[in-house]
Amino acid sequence: EKGGYEHFMLKEIFEQPRSIGDCMRGRLDANNGRLVLGGIREYANKLINADRIIIVACGTSWHAGLVAEYFFEEFCRIPVEVEYASEFRYRNPVIKEGDVVIAISQSGETADTLAAIELAKSKGAIIFGVCNVVGSSIARTSHEGAYTHAGPEIGVASTKAFTAQLTVLNMIALRVAHSKGTITESRYHELLVELENIPSKVEQALKLDAQIEHISNEFKDSKNFLYLGRGYNFPVALEGALKLKEISYIHAEGYPAAEMKHGPIALIDEEMPVVFIATRDSSYDKVVSNIQEVKARKGRVIAIVTEGDALIPQMAEFVIEVPRTDEALMPMVSVIPLQLLSYHIAVMRGCNVDQPRNLAKSVTVE
Ligand code: M6R
């Protein structure tokens, strides 16, 4: 049932062009400018008129929430707060009636996320669930929702669920922005077309596998890793670091690249691999300066760049080229090499990638 792959995780990484496509099927038709999400029909107005969106989630799903914060604010002009479900539920949060809570969960069974929903519900908020497992507790407790339709995810490290979550959240944001009139027609159409092209771009990114395996061999014995990105790629840095630590047991930290000089830069020496997610976007020039700062301290730079980048290859020790896409959609593409990097390093270190120590697929205890 691993479909010829050595591990479920690898199978699920390679399934992403299909799972992202499945998530859009019947919902998105860029040619006709159509975006239909069955689940949000009744509650679309609640989202459109929301004073605020609160996203609650844990782990990788929380990272998807962070990306969503950027595009909900950019496209819909609705203030968004992204909360760890476990913190939110225990700190007497301010929740009002015009608030919409989006709960993101692959399993739909995460205890803290479920409890955060119950709390928000009791205060009159509308709950919108983004789950992968059909009929799961979170899906049933939510007022409305949209499934990610990624299919069963067996590997404890979440991969295809993350890209499907981003796909759904993107579609919701575009649908809301279009109804609110906070996005221009041309930008709306451009993003629909770009979204439809994501599966083929992910397919292209997967072709980097052999190159990434080679890079993994170079760094498999490292004791620490830093992951840095800005803007839409900041949550991708967090996700890359989480993937590495949970399956290879290497200590890794993700940071917004600009925060480096407020502390983590002290860690950099010739032993420290630094993965930059440095695709061509509005923060590109700033990220280039951050790469220079790491180089000046002899850090070993691995950079994820947009294909055709001429500058960063002169600076980085290893460069991984991903296809070009809109910056708001880039996380779905730029995360692929990071998933593969953690996978190969874990395999080379002899780790049990599908069932890492101390972890369970769904965390049903708080
Ligand atoms: O099922 P959920 O999406 O609610 O799970 C949340 C986290 O437990 C989960 O993402 C966890 O962090 C994964 N092991 C990450 O790969």
Side-chain angles (χ1 to χ4, degrees):
E1 72 229 68
K2 289 183 197 143
Y5 290 96
E6 207 180 322
H7 299 97
F8 282 109
M9 183 185 178
L10 192 63
K11 169 177 174 267
E12 288 159 5
I13 291 173
F14 273 85
E15 257 171 21
Q16 288 175 106
R18 208 214 59 217
S19 52
I20 297 171
D22 286 349
C23 178
M24 297 189 292
R25 182 154 311 116
R27 291 167 160 174
L28 170 68
D29 175 4
N31 258 342
N32 297 305
R34 260 167 48 93
L35 191 50
V36 186
L37 283 147
I40 77 164
R41 219 167 285 140
E42 200 186 326
Y43 284 89
N45 283 335
K46 303 271 185 205
L47 270 165
I48 291 162
N49 299 317
D51 298 324
R52 188 167 66 136
I53 293 174
I54 304 168
I55 298 179
V56 293
C58 305
T60 289
S61 298
W62 183 77
H63 296 156
L66 286 182
V67 179
E69 172 181 26
Y70 284 53
F71 52 65
F72 269 105
E73 292 202 341
E74 181 176 343
F75 304 140
C76 310
R77 308 307 298 155
I78 302 172
V80 179
E81 276 162 46
V82 189
E83 307 266 2
Y84 282 120
S86 56
E87 285 298 310
F88 178 78
R89 59 181 285 210
Y90 286 116
R91 61 145 221 271
N92 195 12
V94 179
I95 309 166
K96 291 185 275 141
E97 263 182 37
D99 290 339
V100 174
V101 170
I102 301 182
I104 310 172
S105 176
Q106 187 288 128
S107 61
E109 302 298 344
T110 301
D112 280 316
T113 310
L114 196 52
I117 293 174
E118 301 289 4
L119 173 70
K121 235 178 151 178
S122 73
K123 308 230 176 190
I126 294 294
I127 317 295
F128 196 87
V130 175
C131 297
N132 193 43
V133 177
V134 175
S136 55
S137 305
I138 293 174
R140 283 185 281 116
T141 313
S142 303
H143 294 106
E144 263 303 345
Y147 284 114
T148 44
H149 295 309
E153 191 181 64
I154 311 293
V156 163
S158 187
T159 53
K160 64 174 179 171
F162 176 71
T163 47
Q165 287 164 346
L166 293 181
T167 309
V168 162
L169 291 161
N170 239 303
M171 289 191 289
I172 297 171
L174 289 172
R175 162 81 176 76
V176 170
H178 195 235
S179 301
K180 278 191 82 157
T182 44
I183 190 168
T184 62
E185 278 296 318
S186 64
R187 183 91 176 104
Y188 175 71
H189 283 279
E190 187 179 85
L191 281 160
L192 293 191
V193 171
E194 224 14 69
L195 200 49
E196 229 171 46
N197 287 332
I198 291 295
S200 70
K201 297 196 173 173
V202 168
E203 190 83 66
Q204 245 179 285
L206 288 167
K207 297 204 175 105
L208 300 163
D209 190 41
Q211 186 204 353
I212 293 167
E213 198 171 349
H214 167 76
I215 298 173
S216 304
N217 195 41
E218 195 72 29
F219 291 100
K220 63 179 191 303
D221 299 318
S222 297
K223 300 259 179 301
N224 298 284
F225 260 80
L226 267 182
Y227 286 74
L228 302 175
R230 296 179 83 134
Y232 282 99
N233 280 324
F234 155 52
V236 178
L238 297 182
E239 176 59 7
L242 176 62
K243 287 289 88 89
L244 188 71
K245 60 190 135 187
E246 70 179 333
I247 61 167
S248 75
Y249 319 138
I250 295 175
H251 168 243
E253 290 194 51
Y255 261 94
E259 269 296 301
M260 191 179 63
K261 59 176 80 59
H262 300 284
I265 199 165
L267 294 167
I268 295 170
D269 61 14
E270 58 284 340
E271 303 275 285
M272 178 65 94
V274 185
V275 180
F276 274 96
I277 303 98
T279 50
R280 266 270 173 214
D281 58 24
S282 46
S283 39
Y284 176 81
D285 294 339
K286 301 279 178 199
V287 177
V288 168
S289 320
N290 298 139
I291 295 178
Q292 270 153 349
E293 288 155 11
V294 168
K295 287 267 295 174
R297 285 152 188 93
K298 303 201 168 53
R300 300 185 66 185
V301 175
I302 304 156
I304 315 290
V305 302
T306 309
E307 61 189 355
D309 190 304
L311 184 59
I312 297 178
Q314 298 169 26
M315 303 160 64
E317 184 178 346
F318 293 97
V319 165
I320 299 166
E321 289 197 359
V322 295
R324 182 177 301 273
T325 185
D326 194 279
E327 75 176 293
L329 308 181
M330 187 49 99
M332 288 184 264
V333 179
S334 57
V335 76
I336 305 293
L338 304 186
Q339 295 171 343
L340 289 168
L341 185 71
S342 64
Y343 171 78
H344 288 298
I345 290 180
V347 170
M348 286 170 191
R349 290 166 69 95
C351 300
N352 183 348
V353 289
D354 283 336
Q355 281 181 309
R357 67 186 184 201
N358 310 338
L359 287 170
K361 185 61 186 162
S362 26
V363 183
T364 51
V365 290
E366 67 165 285

